[in-house]
């Protein structure tokens, strides 16, 4: 049994079917426990592969139409009391496996950092756009979001052929595009962009925590937590805080593609 466990650790899931076949008729509880573990792991791997395949449905349609450099685009930071709006654009090389991409909203900090490194190492191109609080104050958070998204697309070192954008139609770009409502759960490219934008913004707010330590930016990243609001009452706003301004909500366009 210890030898089999060592083989599992060495070779990973590829050897699990052999383990199941070798121990299927073994009555020992330890053997059946290993079989159950292997089956559970393989079932979870198949589920994730099915989900990953589904999350490339938009990209596959575009690749089949001749668009090779498809960029997923997403942003974070529309809702905080302080800090920038950050957008990212990511072009993936194909149907690559990115562990955790199917659950970007539920990732721990550690797993998000690991996935971020994976995306950076795998992507054909990554672009980032940032709009600081003064840019948000001068216009509105919606206009600032559009500006950050356009900056991210322009920052790509490879010109994209097509844009998949989370939830909005982006004015002011020349590429064809489609808004994907709930895109970080439906498109791997958009989900990858969401991860990059989140990590870049979080790291920036941690840097700002050293400059403005009284506000606790490293903990809440500028969002309106009780800790943050208490600090605002005590110290007043710093240059990183947004001024009250008329906002608005972005309006997403209908989907042009169906999932498949």
């Amino acid at each position: 049994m210890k030898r089999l466990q060592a083989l599992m650790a060495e070779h990973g899931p590829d050897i699990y079917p052999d383990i199941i076949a070798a121990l299927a008729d073994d009555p020992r509880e330890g053997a059946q426990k290993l079989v159950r573990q292997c089956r559970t792991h393989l079932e979870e791997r198949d589920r994730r592969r099915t989900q990953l395949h589904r999350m490339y449905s938009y990209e596959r349609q575009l690749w089949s139409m001749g668009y090779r450099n498809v960029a997923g685009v997403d942003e974070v930071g529309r809702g905080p009391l302080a800090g920038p709006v950050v957008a990212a654009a990511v072009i993936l090389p194909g149907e690559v496996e990115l562990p955790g991409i199917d659950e970007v909203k539920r990732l721990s900090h550690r797993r998000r950092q690991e996935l971020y490194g994976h995306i950076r190492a795998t992507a054909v191109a990554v672009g980032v756009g940032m709009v600081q609080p003064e840019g948000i104050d001068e216009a509105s958070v919606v206009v600032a979001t559009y500006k950050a998204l356009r900056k991210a697309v322009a920052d790509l070192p490879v010109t994209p052929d097509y844009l998949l954008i989370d939830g909005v139609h982006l004015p002011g770009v020349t590429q064809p595009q489609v808004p994907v409502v709930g895109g970080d759960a439906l498109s791997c490219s958009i989900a990858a962009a969401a991860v990059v934008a989140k990590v870049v913004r979080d790291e920036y707010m941690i840097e700002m925590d050293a400059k403005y330590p009284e506000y606790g930016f490293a903990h809440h990243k500028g969002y309106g937590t009780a800790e943050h609001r208490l600090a605002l009452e005590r110290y007043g706003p710093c240059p990183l805080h947004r001024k009250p301004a008329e906002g608005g909500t972005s309006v997403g366009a209908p989907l042009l593609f169906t999932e498949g």
Side-chain angles (χ1 to χ4, degrees):
M1 297 295 292
K2 289 183 178 180
R3 174 59 179 160
L4 289 176
Q5 289 174 327
L7 286 172
M8 289 171 62
E10 181 180 353
H11 298 284
D14 290 340
I15 202 175
Y16 288 6
D18 294 332
I19 300 293
I20 293 171
L23 298 180
D25 298 325
D26 192 321
R28 291 175 296 174
E29 175 57 28
Q32 291 308 304
K33 183 178 180 180
L34 270 185
V35 169
R36 289 192 296 270
Q37 288 175 350
C38 289
R39 284 176 174 162
T40 298
H41 188 97
L42 290 174
E43 288 170 1
E44 176 63 15
R45 186 181 68 172
D46 290 344
R47 184 195 69 79
R48 287 189 175 277
R49 284 181 172 175
T50 299
Q51 172 70 354
L52 186 67
H53 182 77
R54 185 178 71 83
M55 287 182 69
Y56 276 113
S57 60
Y58 287 90
E59 288 86 344
R60 275 197 306 275
Q61 290 182 65
L62 290 169
W63 292 332
S64 70
M65 296 163 64
Y67 298 105
R68 295 313 307 165
N69 292 321
V70 177
V73 190
D74 202 1
E75 53 74 29
V76 296
R78 292 180 62 174
L81 304 178
V85 173
V86 176
V90 176
I91 299 174
L92 295 174
E95 294 191 43
V96 293
E97 288 197 34
L98 297 169
I101 198 71
D102 59 324
E103 50 179 359
V104 292
K105 291 188 184 301
R106 301 186 298 276
L107 293 175
S108 65
H109 174 75
R110 180 184 63 81
R111 289 192 66 202
R112 187 183 302 113
Q113 290 291 136
E114 290 174 353
L115 180 55
Y116 172 76
H118 218 55
I119 293 167
R120 282 285 190 179
T122 305
V124 172
V126 175
V128 174
M130 185 180 295
V131 175
Q132 294 290 354
E134 59 269 21
I136 300 170
D137 299 337
E138 290 171 3
S140 71
V141 71
V142 175
V143 175
T145 298
Y146 288 156
K147 187 175 182 180
L149 291 168
R150 285 193 293 268
K151 282 186 171 185
V153 173
D155 190 53
L156 285 167
V158 174
T159 301
D161 301 321
Y162 209 103
L163 306 179
L164 294 172
I165 307 174
D166 186 34
V168 300
H169 186 275
L170 180 61
V173 294
T174 59
Q175 292 87 355
Q177 62 178 287
V178 61
V180 183
V181 178
D184 60 2
L186 298 174
S187 161
C188 279
S189 301
I190 294 176
V195 170
V196 172
K198 170 69 173 169
V199 171
V200 169
R201 189 181 188 280
D202 283 358
E203 289 179 348
Y204 178 83
M205 295 305 292
I206 291 170
E207 290 177 12
M208 291 299 100
D209 183 72
K211 189 173 183 179
Y212 306 104
E214 62 270 28
Y215 296 97
F217 289 139
H219 302 133
H220 51 68
K221 310 303 188 294
Y223 285 86
T225 63
E227 172 195 7
H228 189 185
R229 293 183 185 279
L230 182 61
L232 264 175
E233 291 178 9
R234 183 174 299 170
Y235 303 108
C238 74
L240 209 59
H241 284 95
R242 303 174 185 179
K243 297 175 184 177
E246 291 186 10
T249 57
S250 59
V251 180
L255 292 179
L256 301 183
F257 297 160
T258 58
E259 293 177 56

